Amino acid sequence: MRTKYCGNIRIIHVNKTVKLCGWVHKIRNFSQFIFVDMRDCTGLVQVIFELKNKKIFKKALNLRNEFCIQVSGTVKKREEKNKNIKISTGEIEILADVLNILNVSKSLPLNYKQKNNDESRLKYRYLDLRSFNILENLKIRNQITYLIRTFMTKKNFLDIETPILTKSTPEGARDYLVPSRNHYGKFYALPQSPQLFKQMLMIAGIDRYYQIVKCFRDEDLRSDRQPEFTQIDIEASFMNAQKIRNLVEKLIKKIWLKIINFNLPKFPKISFYESMRKYGSDKPDLRNPIEIIDVSDILKDEKFRLFFNLDSKKNNRIALLCISNATDISRKKIDIYTQYIKKFNAKKLFYIKIIENNIRHTKIYSSIKNILDKVILKKIIEKSKAKNGDILFLIADEEYVVNKSLGMLRLKLGIDFNITKKNSWKPVWIVNFPMFMKDIKGNFSSTHHPFTAVKNKDIKKLKNSPQISISDSYDLVINGYEVGGGSVRIHDVNMQKKVFDIIGIKKSVQKEKFGFLIEALQYGAPPHAGIALGLDRIVMLLTNSNNIRDVIAFPKTTSASCLMTDSPSIIDGSILQELAIKFSKNKL
């Protein structure tokens, strides 16, 4: 039906006859001529219908935006004054001699010339995908997956598919469940990850596995998260954590170089605890150089504890941020920041403005001036390396509150004061996560997942002091986004059972949910490690998209619904009966 794509015609094609297929993007009628911008997946080209060709001109008068058409014509060079440098076909135009209207179109519920609301875009996603921005994102996504497959194949990894219908296991988020018709009253679960299957592949001797795979998690959504998502799943036998990180680093560097022509530097590595202390997060955005500075040792006297109303029985912290050249910040703006940190349970935000500081004299404006003597003030200034014109923002509270509040304030101040270098890339490995987290009841849960190995295979520490055990795990963070997480896996059956015991999984449940894994580990399981990278987030970063929906063809809303197909939907009662499902009248 066509000999060329619209966006691929160039000056070298002048005087050649071409046949094009696509959509009417824009129409301009100048009486003697009708100009049509014709669009396909490669771009735009201008088509001219002349009045002297009356038959085709009359037909062109019926054209409307988004009609699907076929055009045959001759490529002509535009006059210099009519060239359009904004498009790749701007040097030429098509003089039409044949027009076929393949299909008409109603007026679109979307307007490509203005910003449409999210609800309309998702309801008419097939029309939204006609926009060049979304289309370009999907093309880049395709390039990235091609690069991944090429890279992994060259590294001798096998692309192996794992099951979508699998067993429900207690791994963190809720499972999406699928009822079985053949096994009355039983359910499959959609995989949150292929974790256990890829470990089975290592036990099977596959050695090196990868997969670009759909995963599913029934959890609350946000701008960088969807209920179904795609991850680059990698696992290898006889490789330690450092080798996995080196492999992934090479892959990410290759992707960045090929897609945006950017050479990423060597990825730094910092521990989980250092990241929390310095940045208040295990996903630090290192484009922002501001660090959290601890002053607990300076303000340790009883009078400070009383002033800040700190409970001595709790794990408290006093820390601050130093912002350069910001003493002109208004009290009103400080009040806004105070309200902001209250979202993260901080009670109050204190400040110290360094007006003048030298050997003989120190002048400050501060909300805690009355409790700061010269010695204490000097120590704070020295530790924070504050200069004249700087402002210090201080919070005193429980450690987790201080970390979260100053971490979020750090990000906000980085944007407000143009400190964050937006056009840069700052990857970082976060390592040495705690093996377990403890809830308010004292119960342990795995920080990553229960198949993560303890650092240095320290089973003695794992048994005696699980709360201080360090996992052999690692997360890859780029510009504040976690784009991947992995670990060395447990390959010793006794250690695996011990981890299950620590996180409170009963023996009966271990056998029911993980019996196949426990048995498999007893047949010469090799040491193995792996990682899962979020493809959607990587594409989101490389396309500079604000929302992960813009890099997925058919995404869900934040309530996990599809407006286009109106799913999830109500199922006929007879089908539910066949599946042994009955709804309670009272919603839980």
Side-chain angles (χ1 to χ4, degrees):
M1 291 186 74
R2 61 184 165 202
T3 59
K4 289 285 181 186
Y5 283 89
C6 296
N8 293 344
I9 304 172
R10 299 291 184 270
I11 198 76
I12 60 170
H13 300 117
V14 167
N15 296 325
K16 291 184 178 179
T17 299
V18 295
K19 191 180 288 185
L20 309 172
C21 293
W23 289 265
V24 174
H25 189 72
K26 186 178 179 182
I27 307 169
R28 302 178 301 285
N29 190 335
F30 292 100
S31 299
Q32 300 293 312
F33 303 95
I34 295 175
F35 292 90
V36 170
D37 287 345
M38 188 174 175
R39 183 191 76 244
D40 66 14
C41 64
T42 61
L44 296 170
V45 69
Q46 181 170 278
V47 180
I48 304 174
F49 300 92
E50 292 183 325
L51 179 61
K52 62 184 180 182
N53 190 340
K54 292 184 179 179
K55 185 178 179 181
I56 191 174
F57 190 86
K58 185 178 180 182
K59 206 171 186 180
L61 287 171
N62 295 317
L63 291 177
R64 297 292 181 271
N65 285 350
E66 298 306 315
F67 274 30
C68 186
I69 61 174
Q70 181 191 53
V71 169
S72 183
T74 306
V75 181
K76 297 292 183 181
K77 184 179 179 180
R78 293 198 199 193
E79 292 182 21
E80 197 65 35
K81 63 179 181 180
N82 293 329
K83 288 182 179 179
N84 183 356
I85 60 171
K86 293 180 180 179
I87 59 173
S88 59
T89 59
E91 290 184 292
I92 56 91
E93 56 197 6
I94 311 299
L95 181 59
D97 51 43
V98 177
L99 169 65
N100 291 319
I101 298 176
L102 303 176
N103 213 335
V104 298
S105 173
K106 296 195 300 181
S107 294
L108 262 60
L110 301 179
N111 187 342
Y112 297 134
K113 296 176 184 177
Q114 65 184 38
K115 189 174 181 180
N116 299 286
N117 65 60
D118 288 344
E119 188 172 330
S120 296
R121 289 182 60 202
L122 293 176
K123 184 175 181 179
Y124 299 99
R125 187 61 168 181
Y126 50 90
L127 298 177
D128 190 43
L129 288 171
R130 291 183 183 178
S131 70
F132 286 123
N133 288 343
I134 304 296
L135 181 59
E136 187 60 29
N137 289 349
L138 295 181
K139 287 180 180 180
I140 290 172
R141 185 185 180 107
N142 176 68
Q143 287 177 268
I144 292 169
T145 55
Y146 173 77
L147 287 169
I148 292 164
R149 294 187 192 282
T150 304
F151 178 91
M152 297 306 289
T153 300
K154 285 181 179 178
K155 296 292 184 182
N156 298 318
F157 280 77
L158 297 182
D159 181 359
I160 301 175
E161 294 179 346
T162 51
I164 293 297
L165 294 177
T166 184
K167 189 179 184 72
S168 180
T169 55
E171 291 182 53
R174 291 188 186 93
D175 287 322
Y176 279 102
L177 300 176
V178 180
S180 169
R181 181 180 58 82
N182 293 325
H183 301 277
Y184 198 72
K186 293 185 177 182
F187 293 80
Y188 298 103
L190 301 182
Q192 296 184 34
S193 83
Q195 180 62 45
L196 295 178
F197 285 106
K198 63 183 179 180
Q199 289 190 241
M200 294 297 110
L201 290 173
M202 297 304 102
I203 295 170
I206 295 300
D207 196 67
R208 294 187 174 199
Y209 142 94
Y210 89 97
Q211 185 184 186
I212 299 175
V213 60
K214 277 280 187 184
C215 298
F216 309 85
R217 287 178 189 165
D218 187 5
E219 58 187 355
D220 295 333
L221 308 183
R222 57 190 189 216
S223 64
D224 66 336
R225 185 176 285 172
Q226 283 277 303
E228 52 180 303
F229 55 95
T230 307
Q231 69 183 35
I232 307 150
D233 209 46
I234 299 170
E235 199 80 8
S237 295
F238 310 110
M239 288 181 78
N240 59 25
Q242 187 59 54
K243 286 189 175 180
I244 291 287
R245 289 198 295 267
N246 289 344
L247 174 83
V248 171
E249 202 164 311
K250 288 175 183 175
L251 173 61
I252 294 296
K253 284 181 176 180
K254 187 179 183 71
I255 292 170
W256 255 249
L257 182 62
K258 293 290 185 180
I259 300 299
I260 60 171
N261 195 31
F262 188 89
N263 267 308
L264 288 171
K266 182 169 176 59
F267 299 3
K269 184 175 68 174
I270 62 175
S271 74
F272 167 82
Y273 291 102
E274 182 185 359
S275 184
M276 294 302 294
R277 297 287 287 179
K278 283 187 175 181
Y279 309 108
S281 170
D282 59 356
K283 294 179 269 291
D285 186 350
L286 299 187
R287 294 175 301 168
N288 180 344
I290 303 170
E291 293 184 5
I292 298 172
I293 300 159
D294 194 278
V295 290
S296 301
D297 57 335
I298 299 173
L299 302 175
K300 61 186 177 183
D301 290 352
E302 180 70 7
K303 69 172 183 177
F304 298 116
R305 187 186 68 78
L306 294 172
F307 178 83
F308 293 123
N309 194 26
L310 299 176
D311 186 344
S312 58
K313 296 177 182 178
K314 293 183 177 178
N315 186 23
N316 300 311
R317 187 183 187 194
I318 306 173
L320 57 81
L321 302 172
C322 179
I323 311 301
S324 298
N325 303 313
T327 50
D328 58 348
I329 186 171
S330 67
R331 184 56 200 254
K332 184 179 179 182
K333 190 69 174 175
I334 292 173
D335 289 341
I336 291 172
Y337 290 137
T338 300
Q339 291 304 310
Y340 178 72
I341 58 111
K342 286 182 179 179
K343 293 179 184 178
F344 313 106
N345 297 319
K347 294 186 280 290
K348 195 165 183 180
L349 180 66
F350 303 96
Y351 70 90
I352 304 171
K353 290 184 177 182
I354 313 299
I355 307 303
E356 185 181 353
N357 179 48
N358 52 50
I359 297 173
R360 292 174 295 178
H361 178 66
T362 300
K363 181 181 179 183
I364 64 165
Y365 294 141
S366 175
S367 56
I368 55 172
K369 188 175 182 179
N370 293 338
I371 63 164
L372 297 177
D373 58 40
K374 289 182 180 180
V375 175
I376 293 294
L377 182 58
K378 185 180 180 182
K379 286 181 179 179
I380 290 173
I381 291 172
E382 284 180 355
K383 189 160 189 179
S384 63
K385 297 178 182 176
K387 305 179 298 296
N388 293 345
D390 294 356
I391 186 170
L392 307 178
F393 287 111
L394 183 146
I395 297 177
D397 214 310
E398 289 186 68
E399 184 175 27
Y400 79 93
V401 173
V402 172
N403 290 346
K404 181 68 175 178
S405 302
L406 286 180
M408 295 304 295
L409 182 61
R410 169 184 173 271
L411 296 177
K412 185 168 180 58
L413 292 168
I415 299 298
D416 291 356
F417 286 87
N418 293 317
I419 297 168
T420 301
K421 298 169 185 174
K422 293 182 181 179
N423 297 321
S424 63
W425 295 102
K426 293 290 184 179
V428 59
W429 286 108
I430 309 298
V431 299
N432 295 345
F433 285 81
M435 190 77 177
F436 306 105
M437 296 181 293
K438 188 186 282 190
D439 64 21
I440 54 174
K441 295 180 180 178
N443 299 320
F444 287 111
S445 62
S446 297
T447 301
H448 276 79
H449 55 61
F451 319 110
T452 301
V454 66
K455 190 91 169 179
N456 302 321
K457 300 182 178 66
D458 193 347
I459 195 165
K460 187 177 179 181
K461 182 182 283 187
L462 184 69
K463 289 178 178 177
N464 299 330
S465 307
Q467 70 276 10
I468 61 171
S469 292
I470 302 298
S471 66
D472 202 352
S473 59
Y474 33 85
D475 282 0
L476 177 58
V477 176
I478 302 178
N479 292 3
Y481 287 94
E482 180 193 332
V483 299
S487 67
V488 173
R489 320 303 187 187
I490 297 170
H491 70 280
D492 177 84
V493 68
N494 293 319
M495 185 176 285
Q496 185 63 78
K497 287 179 179 178
K498 186 62 187 175
V499 169
F500 285 155
D501 291 341
I502 290 169
I503 61 176
I505 300 178
K506 295 177 181 178
K507 299 289 185 186
S508 58
V509 177
Q510 290 180 33
K511 186 176 181 180
E512 178 196 348
K513 299 289 188 182
F514 302 108
F516 66 97
L517 172 66
I518 291 169
E519 184 174 8
L521 290 174
Q522 298 175 60
Y523 294 107
H528 55 285
I531 193 169
L533 302 167
L535 177 63
D536 305 315
R537 286 185 187 174
I538 288 172
V539 181
M540 181 181 165
L541 285 170
L542 287 169
T543 56
N544 198 29
S545 301
N546 293 322
N547 196 304
I548 209 161
R549 293 199 298 255
D550 291 337
V551 301
I552 299 171
F554 297 102
K556 301 289 191 292
T557 66
T558 52
S559 60
S561 62
C562 175
L563 299 181
M564 187 182 76
T565 61
D566 193 25
S567 66
S569 56
I570 296 171
I571 300 297
D572 186 82
S574 60
I575 297 175
L576 294 177
Q577 189 175 2
E578 189 178 6
L579 295 170
I581 294 175
K582 185 178 181 180
F583 288 114
S584 170
K585 290 182 180 180
N586 298 319
K587 185 179 177 182
L588 294 176

